[in-house]
Amino acid sequence: MDEPVNPILHGVMYEIYIRSYSDHSGDGTGDFLGIVDRLDYISRLGVSSILLNCPFLSVHGKDHHPLLDWMKLDHELGTLSDFLLLLEKAHMKGLKVLLSLPVNATSDQHVWFSESRLSRGSLFSNSYFWSDTPPPEPETRHDPPEKINWTLDADSGRYYWFGDHKDEPSLNYGDAEVLSEMCRIFEHWFALEVDGFRLAGAGRLHSWKKNEIIPVQDPFQTFHPVIYPLKKSYPEKMFLFETGSPPSKRGQVNDSRLFYHFNPFFPAVISAIKNEDRSPLEPILDGKPKGRSKKSLSRNRTIHLRERSEETFELLDTLSSDDALFPLAPDLPEDRPILSRVARLMENGRRRIQLVMSLFLTFPGLPVLYYGDEIGMGDHPHLRGKNPIRTPMHWSADRNAGFSRADPEELFNPVIEDPLYSYQMVNVESQERFPDSHLWNVRRMIEVRNQNPLLYGDGDFELIETRSASILAYVRSCDGATGLFIHNLSKSAMFGHLDLAKWHGYKPREMFSGGAFPTVGKAPYLITMTPYSTIWFLLEAPIRKKMAKSRRRGS
């Protein structure tokens, strides 16, 4: 029997990089109380939950936040009391709160690693990867050269293995002690009424096998002994696995608490719009070139408007510069900027940005909206690592974009000064004043999504033939309701002939205005669209079909 659907699937999640969202204390770094100050704004967006990025105690002065303690919050962000106040206030507004928890590595200053390096018989001696011998020399024939992920630990005289950064040794998931501690971490925060976790780095776990370090193929299966026993005590707590693959076992697929990151969505959307061709989107939706069959897509997946998965970036690295979807700086091979804000990728074209948002909110899955995308924020291409998309939120055209009272040089990250994307041009305060702004359009789309169960995370899906490469159309249905969603991916006005014979006699009604369109006939349905436009239709069944369905339900 399938699991009941978790209520969070019926909404949109809002991801916040805490240090750049809102600074209550005035020290230049965003904090928990700053989010409390903005809860009314978040609630008005219509989202159902918030995801807090990098909340745990970490080494300061690093772009990648090496983890020091899962049990403690970073004191730069506020006290535990501040966090509990945020939880209380958010829950009062009906918002669930999830934390992003790194699970693949810790800092080399973490107490586990300190114990592991000092004694071979310690509790955590097998929790990391150690070698007494130096690593082999890399093969010189490879271009680029092979990366050797072993480094010497000066304190112990041994070598340890890391995944991405030398100061972040990787955890060994072949050690039962690691999972035991993870269970304790989950229970600790669940007892404080945290609603779930994103398991950051879940797609990059490793373990020992026959003296070889191998990647964990199914992190869901690895965490199953920890997560499954928590089901009885915490039935609605959620786990978002930062991995591009769904669970391999049927029972876990139907567990409404578990989600995976749907990697193909964002690159496919960007490619389709840049090339004005729907073909990159069709395989990820239906898997068939013609896309005619009806299918029930996985409800247990998150979709994003930025590419955060390292798995996908490794694939994108293989593309030539001419084919690259995301602008990457070639002069920073170790820690290059990832410019994946939608506004820059769409060259700040408002129609294109709204087209992306429409696809984002009508695709099957749980949309995770990154802070600032609701107003069309840009990025800061001159910052390192992931910091280009971690700039202060643009609240107003005032000093520091209304983010902080601190002096500009004290900000955690600088504000965007680029004239095209600057906080003077793009900010919440100015967009609040105009009902046709990007912010208000996003609010309306989320509101309509919340009002229509057919747009929730589950239900049936069907691609529609349009006879135009630039027009993408699909039908979503759930509990007797049917919606038709049409997108023009071209910069030019286009027309299409939609194969809607299955819905002969249905009347399309535009979801935003309620305006009725001509009834669907047996012939292909003609639709004309302006550049980069979208249409959301509710397909209303004829009266006789409604009565027949009502009689069937009553019998």
Side-chain angles (χ1 to χ4, degrees), residues 25 45 99 114 134 151 170 202 204 259 389-390 404 408 430 463 471:
S25 64
L45 278 177
L99 305 180
S114 298
T151 189
S170 294
R204 299 169 71 80
F259 290 75
I389 56 172
R390 290 176 169 176
S404 173
S430 63
L463 275 170
I471 295 183

Side-chain angles (χ1 to χ4, degrees), residues 218-400:
D218 187 353
F220 295 91
Q221 184 65 21
T222 299
F223 273 91
H224 182 74
V226 175
I227 292 176
Y228 185 76
L230 294 173
K231 189 174 185 177
K232 185 175 181 180
S233 301
Y234 305 102
E236 292 189 355
K237 304 300 185 181
M238 296 183 59
F239 296 90
L240 314 181
F241 283 72
E242 194 179 64
T243 179
S245 302
S248 60
K249 288 200 171 183
R250 178 65 184 170
Q252 294 176 13
V253 173
N254 292 331
D255 190 337
S256 64
R257 302 172 303 152
L258 309 182
F259 290 75
Y260 73 99
H261 174 204
F262 190 54
N263 283 342
F265 173 77
F266 188 54
V269 167
I270 301 303
S271 177
I273 296 176
K274 283 191 173 184
N275 296 311
E276 303 182 31
D277 188 342
R278 68 173 188 261
S279 56
L281 288 164
E282 290 183 333
I284 71 170
L285 287 168
D286 197 79
K288 298 181 179 180
K290 295 300 181 182
R292 288 292 192 112
S293 65
K294 183 178 182 180
K295 65 186 297 185
S296 182
L297 295 178
S298 171
R299 69 193 185 194
N300 296 61
R301 63 183 189 179
T302 59
I303 53 178
H304 301 253
L305 281 185
R306 64 187 185 108
E307 192 40 70
R308 59 167 295 101
S309 170
E310 299 295 341
E311 296 169 290
T312 305
F313 272 118
E314 288 174 355
L315 296 176
L316 294 173
D317 280 348
T318 64
L319 296 176
S320 68
S321 58
D322 293 335
D323 297 326
L325 297 177
F326 304 100
L328 303 177
D331 56 334
L332 295 174
E334 289 295 323
D335 203 11
R336 63 187 170 217
I338 300 170
L339 306 181
S340 53
R341 281 279 192 182
V342 173
R344 182 176 291 276
L345 293 173
M346 294 293 100
E347 299 174 317
N348 208 31
R350 179 178 170 183
R351 286 186 174 184
R352 277 174 288 177
I353 296 172
Q354 291 183 357
L355 172 62
V356 172
M357 191 64 66
S358 175
L359 290 163
F360 173 64
L361 293 174
T362 58
F363 262 51
L366 172 62
V368 181
L369 178 65
Y370 193 56
Y371 84 97
D373 282 344
E374 71 272 19
I375 60 172
M377 265 183 66
D379 48 53
H380 201 309
H382 304 295
L383 302 180
R384 295 178 63 88
K386 296 179 181 178
N387 283 327
I389 56 172
R390 290 176 169 176
T391 55
M393 177 69 174
H394 294 181
W395 295 107
S396 69
D398 297 333
R399 171 173 147 162
N400 297 331

